[in-house]
Amino acid sequence: ISECTLHLQAKLYLSIIDDVIESMRELFLDEGIEDRVLDDLRHLWESKMMQSRAMEDFRKNNNNSSNFVLQLPASYAQPEQEIPGKKRVSFTDAGGANTVATFSLPAGLTYPVQIPAGVTLQTASGQLYKVNVPVVVTQAPTGQQPLPCPGPKAPQPQPVQVRVNTASAHAVAPSILSNPTTVALASQTKTNPVPVQEPPPPPPPQLDLDYSALSDIVQLDGAADNSEDDDVTALEENDFLGIINAEAMKALQEGDRSSDGNGFSSSSDSEAAEDELDPLNSGDDVIEQDIPDLFDTDNVIVCQYDKIHRSKNRWKFHLKDGVMTYGGRDYVFSKAVGEAEW
Amino acid sequence: MAYQLYRNTTLGNSLQESLDELIQTQQITPQLALQVLLQFDKAINTALANRVRNRVNFRGSLNTYRFCDNVWTFVLNDVEFREVTDLVKVDKVKIVACDGKNSGSNAGE
């Protein structure tokens, strides 16, 4: 997609943001809310947009502004700071506004930037992060997760303790984590092995109990029956389809095997029955799983339709005023015409 | 009233997240947040209608279609989107489309 298009698109988004914020200014004043809150909203909104790849290229064009906004505590406003690890960092308050300082790295200083332990950082959204171990801020290429190690003296990746305001921790943490250009602590947390979700526990014993009770009834006509009646098998499915799961089915089979007193070997029969049951079940399962997953995709186009036309299985779409999100990026159109076969 | 359809976009979602944060810190009321979203609906509808002027063609295969409450929802596979210069290939895309005919004649706006 061309640079020009992206630039226009970013301008469009910014103009929408402007539009909304300015038209809310009067209402906010009427409600007795400080201007600062509206500015906060704008900052939050813009920074989230900047973080998402939707405006990635626009952000790249603005080389002089930093990729993240931090407010440093007053005690940290030292002109220069010697940091072990060879880098000299100075943070200057480029913004001038009291609430948020957008700081830019001085000319000639590039990433990675090291922040020593003990510093408390505050992001634009107001969240406080206390840095307990020295942190390295690197500008990771987009999409790349592992951090390049900046130097021999740099702190090795360790689990970093972060203290956040509990109120909004859940809201902020994901957005920080998803941004590859924020402080390294976030990326480090990302590379640390995530605790693996335990496999779902086996069904509680009482389920087995239900089944042994039911299997007593079922087995009279069911798997243990010599005639292998399909109808009965089908009946069994239909009745219990809502509660059958794989493990319960096993329990059922085991119940058949153990409580069968007819004398002929039930194991082969139940296995045969199991073979019959499995294909029947799995056919249903596939269809069921398809539907919720089918509509679950990240690539979405939100638009309006002028005309939708179908002839046999050929569909024609006339769409307008749409926004498409694909691969984290946004595309906008005033008209879209398409064809598809069903 | 303008369609609320565009709230599920990057722009709309980031606005909702920002508003949620302000509500949590009690800097604004949920009522006010709703007003902001309504204003956003107007702004984005207007912007898309007036400030965007490009045309896209696409072709793919239709997996599913649904029409309910005058809203079309399609899922397409292996779609190619063509603009004048660009080509984007998508393996799966969902299209949600509201009726475009009503957008110009909204009462009580």
Side-chain angles (χ1 to χ4, degrees):
Chain A
I1 202 166
S2 68
E3 282 272 332
C4 183
T5 313
L6 280 169
H7 194 68
L8 286 175
Q9 186 174 298
K11 276 189 133 178
L12 172 75
Y13 280 5
L14 286 174
S15 74
I16 294 176
I17 294 178
D18 276 342
D19 214 343
V20 176
I21 297 290
E22 288 314 309
S23 44
M24 291 311 294
R25 204 167 280 279
E26 206 174 310
L27 188 59
F28 268 57
L29 285 176
D30 285 348
E31 295 282 317
I33 299 187
E34 296 174 11
D35 240 3
R36 186 182 67 86
V37 177
L38 193 59
D39 290 334
D40 277 352
L41 176 63
R42 178 198 275 269
H43 280 121
L44 278 171
W45 195 2
E46 278 182 1
S47 60
K48 283 185 209 282
M49 286 304 295
M50 293 295 184
Q51 281 169 19
S52 79
R53 292 179 57 198
M55 304 211 358
E56 174 187 294
D57 295 275
F58 183 72
R59 190 180 65 211
K60 273 190 197 154
N61 287 336
N62 293 351
N63 292 334
N64 50 355
S65 70
S66 68
N67 287 331
F68 56 101
V69 177
L70 293 177
Q71 179 183 12
L72 304 171
S75 60
Y76 194 73
Q78 305 162 24
E80 276 179 1
Q81 175 135 2
E82 200 78 48
I83 295 170
K86 302 174 251 182
K87 289 283 183 200
R88 177 171 295 186
V89 180
S90 73
F91 297 90
T92 57
D93 185 352
N98 286 335
T99 53
V100 173
T102 304
F103 74 86
S104 21
L105 301 176
L109 188 73
T110 54
Y111 289 114
V113 167
Q114 299 194 11
I115 303 177
V119 174
T120 302
L121 305 175
Q122 183 177 18
T123 65
S125 55
Q127 300 315 308
L128 291 166
Y129 291 88
K130 180 161 183 201
V131 181
N132 286 344
V133 299
V135 169
V136 177
V137 180
T138 64
Q139 186 171 27
T142 325
Q144 205 177 26
Q145 289 194 13
L147 277 183
C149 196
K153 285 194 187 165
Q156 296 308 311
Q158 299 162 14
V160 175
Q161 306 287 334
V162 177
R163 228 180 275 157
V164 298
N165 282 342
T166 49
S168 311
H170 67 284
V172 178
S175 65
I176 296 293
L177 280 173
S178 63
N179 182 355
T181 64
T182 48
V183 292
L185 63 89
S187 303
Q188 286 177 355
T189 333
K190 222 173 176 180
T191 56
N192 281 340
V194 178
V196 177
Q197 244 184 354
E198 284 183 6
Q206 62 190 48
L207 183 63
D208 288 350
L209 240 143
D210 285 343
Y211 263 99
S212 53
L214 289 168
S215 65
D216 280 337
I217 302 167
V218 166
Q219 73 152 2
L220 292 175
D221 303 318
D225 192 349
N226 209 5
S227 60
E228 295 286 358
D229 215 325
D230 277 354
D231 290 353
V232 180
T233 319
L235 176 66
E236 174 188 356
E237 272 178 43
N238 288 336
D239 284 348
F240 309 128
L241 198 54
I243 40 178
I244 283 180
N245 58 26
E247 271 150 313
M249 275 312 302
K250 267 193 209 151
L252 183 62
Q253 301 306 325
E254 279 161 13
D256 281 346
R257 285 194 204 107
S258 60
S259 51
D260 179 63
N262 281 357
F264 55 82
S265 73
S266 55
S267 54
S268 56
D269 277 349
S270 18
E271 263 162 35
E274 198 173 329
D275 285 335
E276 266 200 53
L277 288 167
D278 267 349
L280 289 170
N281 273 349
S282 53
D284 288 345
D285 283 348
V286 166
I287 295 171
E288 275 182 29
Q289 281 166 14
D290 241 7
I291 292 176
D293 285 345
L294 191 58
F295 282 89
D296 183 23
T297 171
D298 282 332
N299 309 329
V300 186
I301 302 181
V302 204
C303 59
Q304 299 174 31
Y305 61 88
D306 276 329
K307 193 174 172 69
I308 304 290
H309 174 79
R310 177 194 68 82
S311 174
K312 294 229 171 98
N313 72 334
R314 293 196 63 86
W315 290 71
K316 299 211 167 117
F317 314 93
H318 293 256
L319 309 170
K320 70 175 188 184
D321 298 342
V323 180
M324 166 160 102
T325 300
Y326 167 58
R329 290 175 103 168
D330 276 13
Y331 307 83
V332 201
F333 61 82
S334 66
K335 273 216 176 333
V337 178
E339 283 184 20
E341 263 186 39
W342 180 72
Chain B
M1 198 139 86
Y3 281 129
Q4 301 185 0
L5 168 76
Y6 301 102
R7 293 189 191 182
N8 188 23
T9 55
T10 321
L11 204 55
N13 283 325
S14 49
L15 176 59
Q16 293 190 74
E17 282 169 23
S18 310
L19 287 170
D20 280 343
E21 283 180 36
L22 291 181
I23 292 176
Q24 295 230 348
T25 57
Q26 297 189 332
Q27 290 178 281
I28 61 173
T29 63
Q31 198 81 1
L32 191 60
L34 184 61
Q35 293 297 318
V36 178
L37 284 172
L38 290 171
Q39 190 61 37
F40 168 77
D41 295 333
K42 281 192 210 162
I44 191 165
N45 271 280
T46 311
L48 287 175
N50 299 334
R51 275 178 257 166
V52 185
R53 279 282 170 265
N54 62 329
R55 191 189 150 109
V56 169
N57 288 319
F58 63 95
R59 181 184 282 273
S61 49
L62 185 61
N63 190 316
T64 59
Y65 56 88
R66 176 192 285 170
F67 184 60
C68 183
D69 290 335
N70 273 330
V71 178
W72 276 104
T73 307
F74 304 103
V75 176
L76 278 78
N77 290 118
D78 303 322
V79 197
E80 281 187 8
F81 290 89
R82 249 173 235 281
E83 212 168 337
V84 180
T85 46
D86 311 305
L87 177 64
V88 180
K89 288 195 186 176
V90 184
D91 55 350
K92 182 173 164 193
V93 69
K94 176 164 89 167
I95 301 183
V96 180
C98 286
D99 195 345
K101 287 168 216 136
N102 278 340
S103 66
S105 57
N106 292 319
E109 193 167 334

